[in-house]
Amino acid sequence: MTDRKAAITAVGHYLPEERLTNRDLEKLVDTSDEWITSRTGIKERRILRDPDKATSYMAVRAAQMVLDRRGIGADEVDLIIIATVTPDMMFPATACLVQAELGAGKAWGFDVLAACSGFLFALSAAARFIESGKHEKVLVIGADKMSTIVDYTDRTTCILFGDGAGAVLLEANTDGNGILDSMERVDGNDWKGLCMLGGGSLHPASPTSVEKRLHYLYQDGQPVFKRAVVGMAGVAEAIMKRNNLTGDDVRYLVPHQANLRIIDATARRMGIPMEKVMLNIERYGNTTAATLPLCLADWEHELVPGDNLILAAFGGGFSWGSTWVKWAYDAASLNSTH
Ligand code: ACO
């Protein structure tokens, strides 16, 4: 065991300006603000409308904010890991595009494809590179332009998703703060419940794949809902138990923002009151890999070194996980970017 932990030392984010409200969606599909609000907790989401701007555009801006706030140059970054299900293209990895745009001359990078668990899985991978001593500075970015794979004629999914990006910098810490434990799970048996069939090697793009609408996200909502509650709560409870943490020890639960009811049920099972749960689903909807860093960005100013955070996510695959983070910095100590 090593005392060298990977600590989050800065957070950044990017959200497109355009808002797609529930009222806007009422004009597109047979739905209502009341239905969406009561079933999901979402009021509006952000949309990156410009077709020439893709996921890397948002990822670069979130990453640059991290670097500016931490006061370091892109040339100091060793590794860039991007979690996304909406890469700019099948290949090269979006991490390569971000590396070039940032001017991160010595960095290597890769993408993690784990849907809504992507940021957590990327964080786990990144932590190993810091703990082992191989790297000093790793950027972990969760970014998704969900509007490019959402079918705006399907009322069961188009109400859920939004676009956005969040990023964190990981650096070594020997004070006892940082990423202290994590659990990751996948179960591919029921993958058909949440997937996008088109565009891969099984169903490459063709007139038929377009006609069958295979290039859109598909979700069988109710079974996913049940699996999400059991999965997120189960693994979050397990990580707390393994580390002798009670609800009182936890400053904040940081849950993937898929549905307010899923978050509520998860928090209940963990014995954590809602005032200790980070929530911004109302404003951004489900931004897939970006939800967790967007929460950290919104709540960063309330956190002090030593605060215990339990991050938890569930997504396509199925994939899910939980991470115990001991917060390592005071946001006031970073540069202001305003
Ligand atoms: N507006 C109005 N009515 C609707 C809408 C809508 N937007 N969508 C569905 N309905 C209707 C349905 O047609 C159905 O009508 P019926 O009873 O006449 O058949 C009724 O509302 C109930 O539908 P349900 O699917 O049972 O609604 P539910 O309460 O389950 O909510 C939802 C649906 C929001 C999708 C929910 O199931 C959910 O959040 N699922 C999990 C999401 C999740 O966690 N995903 C994982 C992460 S995402 C990722 O990895 C990319």
Side-chain angles (χ1 to χ4, degrees):
M1 286 296 283
T2 168
D3 288 322
R4 183 181 159 101
K5 299 296 181 193
I8 295 172
T9 55
V11 180
H13 69 280
Y14 176 82
L15 286 155
E17 296 211 340
E18 182 175 333
R19 291 171 158 83
L20 182 68
T21 66
N22 292 350
R23 296 275 177 224
D24 296 329
L25 286 167
E26 285 177 357
K27 294 174 199 141
L28 296 178
V29 289
D30 180 13
T31 191
S32 66
D33 175 41
E34 196 280 327
W35 193 96
I36 301 170
T37 307
S38 62
R39 296 294 181 110
T40 71
I42 302 167
K43 287 300 236 183
E44 60 180 39
R45 348 65 209 115
R46 301 298 183 93
I47 302 293
L48 183 60
R49 189 71 63 186
D50 187 339
D52 294 326
K53 294 188 168 97
T55 293
S56 67
Y57 175 87
M58 298 189 289
V60 164
R61 276 144 191 84
Q64 190 61 57
M65 185 175 176
V66 166
L67 299 176
D68 292 346
R69 295 189 66 219
R70 183 74 183 90
I72 63 169
D75 54 344
E76 291 186 52
V77 176
D78 300 301
L79 167 63
I80 299 168
I81 307 180
I82 302 204
T84 186
V85 290
T86 51
D88 286 25
M89 47 202 126
M90 285 293 283
F91 75 89
T94 304
C96 300
L97 308 176
V98 172
Q99 178 270 341
E101 189 69 24
L102 283 176
K106 73 174 180 184
W108 67 292
F110 57 90
D111 291 1
V112 168
L113 200 159
C116 298
S117 307
F119 182 79
L120 266 196
F121 288 9
L123 202 62
S124 287
R128 302 294 94 79
F129 286 101
I130 299 279
E131 289 162 3
S132 67
K134 181 168 169 65
H135 289 320
E136 297 301 323
K137 291 181 170 50
V138 180
L139 273 173
V140 184
I141 307 169
D144 270 302
K145 187 174 177 182
M146 294 304 289
S147 58
T148 57
I149 61 168
V150 163
D151 181 351
Y152 286 98
T153 66
D154 174 8
R155 69 174 181 174
T156 68
T157 53
C158 74
I159 56 154
L160 299 171
F161 296 96
D163 302 336
V168 301
L169 182 70
L170 289 189
E171 295 180 84
N173 182 294
T174 52
D175 296 342
N177 294 331
I179 295 168
L180 299 192
D181 197 8
S182 68
M183 287 184 179
E184 301 82 15
R185 301 279 184 273
V186 299
D187 176 2
N189 284 300
D190 297 318
W191 66 269
K192 287 182 181 159
L194 182 49
C195 58
M196 190 179 83
L197 290 173
S201 53
L202 185 60
H203 301 289
S206 69
T208 310
S209 72
V210 172
E211 193 187 320
K212 290 185 168 173
R213 308 181 83 77
L214 300 189
H215 298 278
Y216 291 122
L217 172 151
Y218 166 81
Q219 175 170 259
D220 189 3
Q222 277 206 353
V224 177
F225 186 102
K226 287 176 191 148
R227 288 288 300 260
V229 174
V230 174
M232 277 215 306
V235 76
E237 275 177 321
I239 209 166
M240 285 170 64
K241 196 166 172 207
R242 179 156 93 179
N243 293 287
N244 297 317
L245 294 169
T246 66
D248 288 344
D249 300 316
V250 175
R251 177 81 174 91
Y252 276 109
L253 169 65
V254 191
H256 171 53
Q257 311 279 307
N259 186 317
L260 182 59
R261 290 183 296 138
I262 295 176
I263 296 170
D264 189 49
T266 303
R268 259 175 229 273
R269 284 189 51 167
M270 293 171 67
I272 293 183
M274 286 306 276
E275 59 267 23
K276 294 211 298 186
V277 179
M278 291 190 188
L279 275 180
N280 56 20
I281 188 169
E282 185 181 348
R283 286 174 285 141
Y284 310 140
N286 182 350
T287 52
T288 303
T291 64
L292 296 182
L294 285 176
C295 279
L296 294 177
D298 277 352
W299 266 264
E300 181 198 34
H301 289 274
E302 285 190 23
L303 302 175
V304 296
D307 277 350
N308 290 308
L309 307 181
I310 299 291
L311 281 55
F314 182 91
F318 293 128
S319 60
W320 66 103
S322 184
T323 301
W324 174 26
V325 173
K326 223 179 228 306
W327 197 248
Y329 69 92
D330 191 336
S333 66
L334 299 182
N335 293 330
S336 163
T337 52
H338 303 297

